[in-house]
Amino acid sequence: MRAFQAAPIQFKFSASDEAGTFSGIASPYGGEPDAHGDLIVPGAYTKTLAQHEANKTRPALLWQHDQTNPVGIWLKFEDTTEGLLAHGKLTTDVPQAKAAHALMRDGALALSIGYMIPAGGAEIRNGARLLKEIDLVEVSLVAMPANSNARITSVKSFDPINPNPRDFERSVRDALGLSAREAKRLMAGGWNGLVRDEQADDSAELAAIAAKLQNITATLIGR
């Protein structure tokens, strides 16, 4: 019988990844028991990750644990000291994946693992169930979290090949720490539009923004 464990998504803009890709802790280790009273111990995924690697398979990336509704693929998993780090890519040509991407950027989704526990893979200790070995079947995007420690660490939202002005404005705003008004001024009038209300001096703030713009430009052209 498959069980589920969910955790909320948090993210930050990442300018270096392919559009639609994201990373995050799908299953944290330790801490307080989740809403179901479970704790996952370090190393619980060692065997299942090795088996997927040997069989050249990957857990599914689903929407709301619906096996008929995949929204992308998991690129790889890493067993870290913090928990199971997952790297995925949404298939943005799929309407549900495109919607999920927008929801993810607004922090409205959670990650949830679908798994099975082999014989001897769990024990009860101090009132909590310790999960020592897990067979990972899928990791879904869902709305309701059960664990407060997992998070998305990066989401790529701007595609320079097929740019969307609203996405670019949002990306510039996040990357440069601009207000919505400042980002609109930059979009409409470039650098002169951004600084039109500022004093023509060498302010540290404007210098920092200029440096960030240079770094973004270099990244986009592959320098």
Side-chain angles (χ1 to χ4, degrees):
M1 179 178 179
R2 192 186 308 176
F4 306 103
Q5 185 192 66
I9 293 179
Q10 298 174 351
F11 69 89
K12 60 183 179 181
F13 173 74
S14 175
S16 61
D17 298 327
E18 182 180 356
T21 59
F22 64 98
S23 301
I25 299 295
S27 177
Y29 291 142
E32 295 297 322
D34 67 12
H36 306 296
D38 291 338
L39 278 174
I40 298 179
V41 303
Y45 295 99
T46 301
K47 288 186 179 179
T48 192
L49 294 179
Q51 289 172 348
H52 278 295
E53 182 71 20
N55 296 332
K56 299 187 184 302
T57 58
R58 288 173 291 193
L61 172 50
L62 304 178
W63 175 253
Q64 302 284 0
H65 297 296
D66 183 354
Q67 297 181 44
T68 67
N69 200 357
V71 290
I73 60 172
W74 290 111
L75 301 173
K76 67 176 181 177
F77 292 88
E78 297 180 66
D79 201 1
T80 72
T81 56
E82 189 174 359
L84 184 66
L85 177 60
H87 304 275
K89 181 180 185 299
L90 294 168
T91 305
T92 52
D93 289 337
V94 175
Q96 186 60 72
K98 186 175 182 180
H101 188 250
L103 289 167
M104 186 185 297
R105 286 163 50 194
D106 283 341
L109 294 180
L111 285 177
S112 179
I113 60 173
Y115 62 96
M116 294 182 290
I117 302 174
E123 67 177 72
I124 302 298
R125 186 183 301 173
N126 297 326
R129 187 174 68 155
L130 299 185
L131 304 183
K132 301 182 297 182
E133 185 179 342
I134 288 175
D135 289 337
L136 187 62
V137 178
E138 49 95 355
V139 183
S140 287
L141 297 174
V142 301
M144 299 297 293
N147 190 302
S148 61
N149 293 321
R151 63 192 181 280
I152 288 294
T153 55
S154 66
V155 171
K156 171 60 178 170
S157 59
F158 174 63
D159 182 359
I161 304 302
N162 299 292
N164 178 292
R166 294 182 65 184
D167 285 344
F168 182 75
E169 181 181 323
R170 182 195 294 260
S171 300
V172 167
R173 184 187 66 201
D174 293 343
L176 300 181
L178 302 178
S179 68
R181 181 180 178 183
E182 289 171 333
K184 290 183 183 299
R185 281 164 45 189
L186 179 62
M187 289 287 290
W191 179 256
N192 289 334
L194 175 64
V195 302
R196 68 186 182 197
D197 295 331
E198 305 291 341
Q199 296 295 325
D201 58 20
D202 294 327
S203 73
E205 183 177 0
L206 291 180
I209 292 175
K212 288 181 180 179
L213 281 171
Q214 290 175 337
N215 289 337
I216 290 173
T217 302
T219 299
L220 289 177
I221 65 178
R223 288 183 180 173

